[in-house]
Amino acid sequence: MVAEIRASTVLPARREDIELHTADGLTLVGEIALPEDRPPAATLVCLHPLPTHGGMMDSHVLRKASYRLPALADLAVLRFNTRGTTSDRGTSEGAFGHGQDERFDVAAALEYAEFHDLPRPWLVGWSFGTELALKWGRDPLVEGAILLSPPLHRATDADLDAWAEFGRPLVALVPEHDDYLRPDEARTRFARVPQVEVVGVEGAKHLWVGEPYVRIVLDEIVKRVNPAAGPLPTQV
């Protein structure tokens, strides 16, 4: 039986609730989703949008990545709530750190990936999560970063210069109608990172609402992280 993949489709995976432990003594709640019957080819470490505006590990693009990509692209998907953030999974300890204290949260997620032998970690940040990736994701373990709707508010030119020196791949998916940073300006701002790839997405908005835009995002992620698995099917 063939069925179309819809917004609510959940494909088979090994899913486990996890806890992350930060260097400053907090416990963060999260989930790891793994391919059902084989080891992952790579790992997505997901950094969610701004928690003071509703961002969390269940923000829809990240949730759909966990629902689909273990089965369709052999990817491990690690999601977690940054400090003080609540979702159905629970509430992470601590309080919102304005993008500064969250450096411990990013480090805890990468330590989890390393300790559990999760292969080839890529950061996938969305909005506020892109700031965390740019500021705190320059870890030797990280293979690259994919930025969804980067606002470049908290992340400065100095952070971009540091990523340029870091040398790892950087992909920015920028909606045509973004509220904060649109493709032409993004190309100008990111030009100081020689290895960056800025992808303007026609018709899209900051929140990537609508199944066609979710599919574009997930396809672009897979194209970089495990290209052999793309393009993703629309039916299973």
Side-chain angles (χ1 to χ4, degrees):
M1 177 178 172
V2 175
E4 183 181 0
I5 296 173
R6 300 179 180 272
S8 59
T9 300
V10 182
L11 298 176
R14 289 178 285 146
R15 296 185 169 87
E16 179 185 350
D17 288 344
I18 62 171
E19 291 183 344
L20 308 179
H21 302 283
T22 69
D24 62 341
L26 300 181
T27 297
L28 313 179
V29 299
E31 182 203 79
I32 184 73
L34 299 161
E36 187 176 36
D37 55 6
R38 54 198 178 277
T43 304
L44 305 181
V45 177
C46 299
L47 304 172
H48 60 67
L50 193 64
T52 55
H53 288 67
M56 57 178 170
M57 64 179 273
D58 280 338
S59 293
H60 77 105
V61 174
L62 306 182
R63 186 179 70 245
K64 290 167 187 171
S66 76
Y67 284 176
R68 302 180 197 178
L69 296 185
L72 298 181
D74 292 342
L75 299 182
V77 180
L78 192 164
R79 298 178 297 138
F80 67 99
N81 287 330
T82 56
R83 57 190 57 215
T85 302
T86 298
S87 71
D88 286 347
R89 168 70 182 90
T91 301
S92 289
E93 293 178 352
F96 177 60
H98 302 278
Q100 294 298 315
D101 295 341
E102 284 82 2
R103 67 187 182 275
F104 298 117
D105 305 353
V106 176
L110 293 173
E111 287 167 7
Y112 180 95
E114 183 173 29
F115 183 80
H116 291 273
D117 296 322
L118 296 175
R120 302 181 53 236
W122 279 71
L123 299 173
V124 177
W126 180 5
S127 194
F128 172 69
T130 69
E131 315 273 45
L132 301 186
L134 288 168
K135 293 178 76 65
W136 314 121
R138 300 185 305 272
D139 184 290
L141 193 69
V142 169
E143 293 228 340
I146 298 169
L147 312 178
L148 313 180
S149 309
L152 291 183
H153 284 172
R154 292 173 175 82
T156 64
D157 285 349
D159 294 313
L160 295 177
D161 291 344
W163 195 282
E165 185 177 347
F166 183 46
R168 303 295 164 83
L170 188 66
V171 181
L173 302 184
V174 182
E176 179 186 11
H177 304 299
D178 197 273
D179 299 320
Y180 305 105
L181 187 72
R182 296 189 175 185
D184 286 345
E185 185 187 355
R187 291 185 182 97
T188 300
R189 292 285 306 278
F190 278 105
R192 58 199 312 124
V193 185
Q195 72 272 27
V196 76
E197 185 179 359
V198 176
V199 180
V201 181
E202 186 175 345
K205 297 182 180 179
H206 188 75
L207 297 179
W208 303 99
V209 173
E211 181 62 21
Y213 298 112
V214 173
R215 287 181 173 170
I216 289 170
V217 168
L218 298 185
D219 265 322
E220 293 289 341
I221 290 171
V222 170
K223 186 186 299 184
R224 275 67 182 197
V225 178
N226 188 17
L232 295 172
T234 58
Q235 296 179 321
V236 290

